[in-house]
Amino acid sequence: GALSRAVQDTLYEQSPTHQELGDSAVGALVTIHAWQGLSISHLAEILHLTHPGTVRLVDKLVQRGWVEKRGSPD
């Protein structure tokens, strides 16, 4: 919780445009950092989001250069 709050505060301080991503983005960043190589399906499950919603969220994070999206064998 504290790490999530620190990430959120840092993102909000950097630019007002980061605020539009919301708490799900903060949760995603913390989760991705903790479990690198996590699939979209697992991330969606952890964040309690739909698969399409998680894909859109990850795409936004990729566009900002915060995460890297890679293909998986399955």
Side-chain angles (χ1 to χ4, degrees):
L3 176 60
S4 212
R5 184 61 182 186
V7 170
Q8 184 178 35
D9 289 347
T10 300
L11 291 175
Y12 286 0
E13 288 171 5
Q14 288 183 13
S15 170
T17 60
H18 296 162
Q19 294 178 21
E20 72 192 45
L21 293 175
D23 294 334
S24 294
V26 174
L29 289 170
V30 170
T31 303
I32 291 166
H33 177 73
W35 291 291
Q36 295 178 17
L38 191 65
S39 71
I40 294 279
S41 296
H42 286 121
L43 182 61
E45 188 177 319
I46 291 167
L47 297 177
H48 301 285
L49 297 174
T50 64
H51 188 276
T54 305
V55 170
R56 287 190 299 272
L57 174 61
V58 169
D59 286 345
K60 288 178 185 179
L61 298 175
V62 169
Q63 288 173 354
R64 285 172 168 72
W66 294 345
V67 298
E68 181 180 306
K69 190 174 177 180
R70 298 182 200 152
S72 66
D74 59 347

